[in-house]
Every structure is written in C-alpha cells, then in structure tokens.
Amino acid sequence: DDPGVKLDVSYERSHWFRPSALSANFGGSQNAVDLTSEYINLGAQWKFDPAWTLRGGCELVLFHGHHDPGGLYNGFAVTSQSTNFTNLDSTQTIPSLGIDWQMSKNTTWSSEIRYYSTRDHVTAQAGLGSGARGVTANPFNWEGPQVSTEFKLTF
C-alpha cells in the first residue's frame, strides 16, 4: 500500500538589478548590478526498510550576470567602454546519493556522496587586465566529489 517513496521538486529564482548612468570611466561597472540566480532540485527517497532510507537527487545552480563592486573588472570596462558586460556566468550540477540508518529511536547515522561539476561560461576576454592578480581566472571550471557522514543522537 505504501511504497515508501517520496519525490521532491523545487525551483527558486532571484534577480538583482540596479542600472547605472555612470560611464565606465567613472565607475559605472562597479555601480551596475544585473544578476540572476536559479536553483533547481530534484530528489527522491525510498524507505525500503523501517530502519533504512536510500536518497538520491540532482541540484542545478545557474548564476549569471554582472556584479563588480570591488572594481576588479574596471580595466576591462574602461577598455571596452561597457558597464553591463557578463562577468559571472556559471552552471553547477550536483548529483548525490545517500543512505540513512535509523539505528534506534534516538540514533541515526547518515552518509552521502555528492559530485560537484562547475562550468564557467565567461570568456577569457573578460579579464582583469594585464598584470592583475587572477587575470586568467576565466573560465573557472572545477569538479570533484564530497563525501559526508552524520551521526545524530537525540536526548
């Protein structure tokens, strides 16, 4: 009657926007903000035994737009005479698999493995200028696993 399956789906979107009338020479790039963040989560749980639950899912994080409050991209803004170029544009995918063990009424042990894959879509031309620290930061791609475990004791 009860297969012990639970499905989760969630979506969140945020957009921060503040235009600027300043030119690139007068800090328009630092003043302008146009960022969009989207988060999608798909998950499933299967309680295949009263004490055991298997979990799996995938998260997708999309982040793109313009935000340069410290003026790191000011050299690029002045050279290109642009204040609204994209300097943040990444996609992160995080599949996961986990297991929960209800050892007793007040004791639970959980373990999970997640694999992060981050892809940066900002072109290398949107650099920090010659001689600047991190000038080759774009594109920034990274991937790797994360293994976590948790022991809960309720008293």
Side-chain angles (χ1 to χ4, degrees), residues 21 32 53 62 130 132 135 141:
T53 303
L62 306 167
S130 63
V135 71
N141 296 322

Side-chain angles (χ1 to χ4, degrees), residues 117-131:
S117 177
T118 304
R119 295 292 171 250
D120 189 348
H121 310 291
V122 176
T123 65
Q125 288 78 22
L128 302 178
S130 63

Side-chain angles (χ1 to χ4, degrees), residues 8-12 39-44 56-60 94 96:
D8 293 313
V9 177
S10 60
Y11 175 76
E12 178 183 320
Y39 173 80
I40 302 165
N41 183 28
L42 305 171
C58 188
E59 297 171 77
L60 178 64
I94 313 161
S96 63

Side-chain angles (χ1 to χ4, degrees), residues 135-146:
V135 71
T136 59
N138 294 326
F140 173 76
N141 296 322
W142 181 86
E143 58 185 71
Q146 176 192 50

Side-chain angles (χ1 to χ4, degrees), residues 55-56 96-99 110-114 146-150:
R55 297 177 282 112
S96 63
L97 184 62
I99 193 159
S110 302
S111 187
E112 183 175 53
I113 184 165
R114 299 163 67 94
Q146 176 192 50
V147 179
S148 61
T149 188
E150 179 180 60

Side-chain angles (χ1 to χ4, degrees), residues 19-76:
S20 177
L22 297 173
S23 72
N25 294 337
F26 292 102
S29 177
Q30 292 96 302
N31 193 41
V33 176
D34 188 3
L35 279 178
T36 300
S37 170
E38 293 178 90
Y39 173 80
I40 302 165
N41 183 28
L42 305 171
Q45 291 185 27
W46 177 37
K47 192 165 186 73
F48 61 91
D49 181 87
W52 293 91
T53 303
L54 184 64
R55 297 177 282 112
C58 188
E59 297 171 77
L60 178 64
V61 182
L62 306 167
F63 194 74
H64 56 90
H66 178 85
H67 188 233
D68 188 22
L72 294 175
Y73 289 85
N74 197 47
F76 179 77

